[in-house]
Structure formats: C-alpha cells, structure tokens
Amino acid sequence: MIKENQDLQPFNTFGISVKADLFSSFDSVETLDRLIKNSNGLPLLILGGGSNVLFTRDYHGLVLKNEIKGFDIISENNDAVIVRAGAGEIWHEFVLKCIDKGFGGIENLSLIPGSVGASPMQNIGAYGVEIKDVFHSLSAYHLATGEIHTFDKSQCEFGYRESVFKRKLKGQYVIIDVSFDLSKNPKINSSYGAIENELKAMGISSPSIKDISNAVIAIRSSKLPDPNKVGNAGSFFKNPVVEKEVADSILKDYPNAPVYPADNGKRKLAAGWLIEQAGWKGKTLENYGVHKLQALVLVNYGGATGHEVLDLSTSIIADIKSKFGVELEREVNIL
Ligand code: FAD
Ligand code: EPU
C-alpha cells in the first residue's frame, strides 16, 4: 500500500523528521516491479534500515523500503558454503544466524546496523574485515529495464567505503539479494588491537567465531551510541587517505597520531583523532553535536534538523582543513 505524506523519522537512525510524498515497502521483486512501473518517472529512493542517510529536506518522490527476506544455502562442501540472503534481512540478525550455523567470515561485522542489501553499497567494514573479503555475488533489479542483473565481486568495484553502486551505477539498481562465501573452518581474525584486548579481558585465548562476535559487540557498545537512544548514522566521515608527506608532517607535531598504511604508499589517518584534536569531541549545539566517546559520530539528541547536522559537518570539515591541511569526506549519504 502506498502512503502519502509519510513522516520518515521512524525510518532513519538519525531520527530526522522529514516527509516523503509517497512511501511503500516491498517484500518481493514482483511488488517492486509493479511499484516502479506505476511510479510515472517520479524520483525514487530505496531505503533499507536508514542507518547511513541524513535527510535534509522533504523527499518529493517515492520512498521504497526494502523488506525482501530469505536465507538460502546455494552450495556447500566440507569446508565452505555460499549463503544467499534477501536484501531486506537485518544485517546483524543475518550475522548471528551464520554464526549459529558455524559459518565464519562475517563475525567481525557484528552489530553493524542496517540491511543485507545495503552492505555492498559502501562495502561495509569493521575490525579488520570488509564485505569484499567474503562477497560472492549479488542480484539487482535494473530500474530502467526491470531486468535482474547479477554482479560478481570485480563488477562491484569495491573500495574503502565504496562500490560501483555509489559511483557510476548510482541510482540505477535495487539490490535484491546478496551471496557470501563463508567458511566452515573459519580463520579467526583477531588482529585488530581492540579485539585482542577485549578477548584478553574476557579471559579467552582460543576464540570461536561467537567469541569474536561477542568481543566486537562489547567494543562497539562501549563507544558507539545506540541509535535507538541517540540519533546517529555511525561514522559521519571517512578516514582520509593522504600522501605519506601529509601524514609525516602530522607525525612530526604529534608522534602518537594514529596512522595506517594504505594502497600505493599512501597513509590512512583516523578522522576521529583529527576531530578530537581540533577540540570538537563532545561538543553540543542545542540538541545535536559530536558524540562524547567517538568524535567521528555526529548525533541528534532529539529534534535536530538534517540541515543543522549538515552545517555542523561543514564547520568540522573547514576546521580540519585549516588545522591539518586534510580534507574530510562525508561517509553518510546526504539527501
Ligand atoms: P540505508 O541507510 O537505508 O541506505 C544507505 C544507502 O544505500 C542509500 O543511498 C540507499 O538508497 C542505498 N540502498 C539501501 N538499500 C539498497 C538496496 N537494496 N538497493 C539499492 N540501494 C540501496 N558502516 C560500516 O561500514 N561499518 C561500521 O562499523 C558501521 N557502524 C555503524 C554504527 C552505527 C551506530 C550506525 C548507525 C551506522 C553504522 N554504519 C557502519 C553505517 C551503516 O550501518 C551501513 O552503511 C549500513 O550498511 C547501512 O544499511 P541500511 O540498510 O541502513 O542502509
Ligand atoms: N580516535 C580518537 N578519538 C576519537 C575516535 C577515534 O583519537 O574520538 C582514534 C582511536 O583512538 C584510534 C583511531 O582513532 O586510534 C581509530 O578509532 P576506531 O578504532 O574507533 O575506529 P574509527 O577509525 O574511528 C572505523 C570505521 C568504523 C568501524 C571502526 C572499527 C570509518 C569511517 N569508520 O572507525 O565504521 O566500526 O573503524 O573497525 O572507517 C562506520 O563506517 O559508520 C563505522 C562506525
């Protein structure tokens, strides 16, 4: 059923109240196809869990919320399994289901909010793993033709918080299911420092995939705000990848600054560290601001507008540029 003038506040984790002219959910490709074919060329927005968007204005078009479910084993042998999940499955529930079945590979990505279908959009990543490490393929509905196209890993052109669906195919496809290459003899990835420390604190020396998941959940819960309590969309900015010389000049002034190796001899800086050094951490402006435990996360304490949050992000970008000569890029999709 299509609803008119729908308040989108319950459908975005920032908790921003804007109206959509038209709104509907869909739980099958057939329903999606019918909705698209009757949409008369209106602007379309596909929404999963709304955990990576900032609404700055009413949406004059049709918002379609993906609720396509499904969990299927496509193939398996003694060591490996390919699992296909409907795009409308909740990501964390999917992770837990795989862990329960002993399928490893995505346990480090526990507790990331949102849907399975959005996971390839920005190649979600956390604690040393990205979707691209376990991605097999996806099916997507081509808006222009109504055809279903399959994409393998190389066609998705994954990068750090990037995919072809954010770049040259932006707005052209609705992802309807995603398949993952998982392992029945999982290699535990506890290389991320915080996981090792958490496991030590938990007294675990040879962790299972469930232990890794629990450690990640504990770490995330200790510093990231729960969107059910405080509006946010996770990291608002990407960690900037800069030339080695830029990182070296920061290290000269701040020898303990977190700096990581990146492709082509470049360096990745921690945006949260830069924002904290610039004095923004915990800053509150009326009912919104910068989270007090994680400076990379902008928060809405209730009733903020998307424009206020966007303006705050613009001020932070300008300040980091002037203090460190580094240009931050927003990670969240601004609408
Ligand atoms: P939405 O916000 O609904 O959509 C995001 C974008 O994808 C929009 O442009 C939308 O149009 C498009 N889209 C959504 N579904 C589809 C589809 N089926 N087909 C086509 N386009 C689609 N991200 C990380 O990578 N790592 C983290 O550790 C992480 N931590 C987070 C912590 C918190 C507390 C929060 C709130 C967010 C965090 N995020 C993280 C960001 C977010 O969870 C991910 O980007 C997630 O994949 C978004 O899923 P979603 O379903 O909510 O997407
Ligand atoms: N730091 C600070 N101050 C802060 C925040 C971080 O100094 O306020 C420092 C930390 O001390 C650490 C470094 O920055 O030395 C990195 O911090 P952290 O491990 O918390 O990770 P992050 O770089 O801030 C990234 C992702 C997160 C992901 C975590 C864990 C991006 C943009 N963010 O955050 O993803 O969960 O690593 O892997 O890459 C998201 O994308 O929404 C998200 C939450």
Side-chain angles (χ1 to χ4, degrees), residues 276-289:
E276 178 172 349
Q277 292 304 310
W280 290 93
K281 192 169 183 173
K283 199 174 178 72
T284 301
L285 305 145
E286 293 180 32
N287 47 0
Y288 61 100

Side-chain angles (χ1 to χ4, degrees), residues 188-256:
I188 299 297
N189 180 347
S190 60
S191 57
Y192 207 91
I195 297 189
E196 272 174 14
N197 296 339
E198 189 62 38
L199 289 170
K200 233 181 249 160
M202 290 160 84
I204 294 169
S205 54
S206 72
S208 64
I209 53 175
K210 185 70 182 168
D211 293 330
I212 296 287
S213 172
N214 286 339
V216 167
I217 290 171
I219 299 163
R220 296 182 68 97
S221 307
S222 73
K223 56 181 168 187
L224 289 168
D226 176 354
N228 292 318
K229 297 184 183 140
V230 179
N232 77 94
S235 300
F236 199 90
F237 307 97
K238 292 183 185 180
N239 284 327
V241 176
V242 299
E243 297 299 333
K244 180 179 177 299
E245 294 69 36
V246 176
D248 286 346
S249 89
I250 292 175
L251 283 170
K252 220 167 68 204
D253 295 335
Y254 305 88
N256 296 324

Side-chain angles (χ1 to χ4, degrees), residues 9 12 20 64 70 80 104 124 127 141 148 153 164 216 238 242 288 314 325:
Q9 189 174 25
N12 72 96
L64 293 174
I124 58 168
Y127 302 101
Y141 174 97
I148 305 295
K153 195 189 292 193
V164 73
V216 167
K238 292 183 185 180
V242 299
Y288 61 100
T314 305

Side-chain angles (χ1 to χ4, degrees), residues 6 8 12 41 76 106 110 114 121 124 134-135 149-150 157 167 212 221 240 251 275 294 314 321:
Q6 171 71 51
L8 295 179
N12 72 96
E76 65 181 316
I106 47 177
S110 293
M121 291 296 296
I124 58 168
V134 287
F135 180 88
H149 295 166
T150 303
E157 297 178 16
R167 298 255 171 219
I212 296 287
S221 307
L251 283 170
I275 297 168
Q294 226 305 357
T314 305
K321 176 86 185 157

